[in-house]
Amino acid sequence: MLHHQLNIHHYDELFGHSILGVSWEGYIIEQIRQKLPTGHEIYFYRTHEGTELDIVIAETNKPYFGIEIKYTSSPSITKSMKIAIEDLNTRKNFVIIPNTEEFRLRKDIVVCDLITFLNKYLAAGRAG
């Protein structure tokens, strides 16, 4: 619907458009929400100081996955992400990007694509 409203009718028209990042985030959130196991909640985290995390997945109000969504091939750890991980005490954290081989930015932060996240990590849940 967003793309139609902006007169974007083909995938290639998104590249270079200012809406690309927002569109990518919305798509990822929709896909994760559809596959979220029963009993789990999805949140956006933002403090008054501006620290934020795109997605926090919690079970019985206890956060366990922290997720940043980036449309880039070379993500980095932001100060905001570091603080959010400390605040929430999430043990497993992810940066979801379009296509990549899975790799770690640090011990507790995995960079992967959406399919890898859904099949390998979300499907396995907290114990995975």
Side-chain angles (χ1 to χ4, degrees):
M1 184 179 283
L2 171 66
H3 298 163
H4 180 75
Q5 293 284 333
L6 293 170
N7 204 27
I8 299 171
H9 302 290
H10 192 272
Y11 181 74
D12 292 337
E13 294 173 4
L14 269 173
F15 295 107
H17 198 287
S18 60
I19 202 72
L20 178 62
V22 172
S23 178
W24 174 247
E25 282 187 18
Y27 173 74
I28 298 300
I29 291 167
E30 288 174 17
Q31 299 307 305
I32 291 173
R33 190 168 196 64
Q34 289 178 25
K35 301 287 186 179
L36 205 59
T38 303
H40 294 69
E41 302 90 26
I42 188 170
Y43 299 99
F44 171 73
Y45 179 77
R46 182 174 171 91
T47 66
H48 291 292
E49 294 81 26
T51 296
E52 63 179 49
L53 206 50
D54 294 328
I55 298 175
V56 177
I57 297 177
E59 183 178 25
T60 59
N61 293 323
K62 182 167 175 50
Y64 65 92
F65 281 175
I67 303 167
E68 271 296 299
I69 304 165
K70 300 291 182 195
Y71 196 90
T72 182
S73 58
S74 55
S76 60
I77 302 170
T78 64
K79 180 179 178 183
S80 182
M81 187 175 188
K82 287 180 193 176
I83 294 169
I85 289 169
E86 289 173 16
D87 288 352
L88 297 167
N89 195 30
T90 50
R91 293 189 185 135
K92 294 184 180 183
N93 302 282
F94 303 88
V95 179
I96 298 178
I97 65 174
N99 290 319
T100 188
E101 296 278 327
E102 179 181 336
F103 65 94
R104 292 189 179 273
L105 287 174
R106 68 179 202 197
K107 181 181 174 186
D108 61 339
I109 303 175
V110 173
V111 176
C112 62
D113 63 19
L114 175 63
I115 300 301
T116 300
F117 175 76
L118 293 176
N119 293 336
K120 184 175 179 179
Y121 295 102
L122 188 62
R126 287 176 43 160

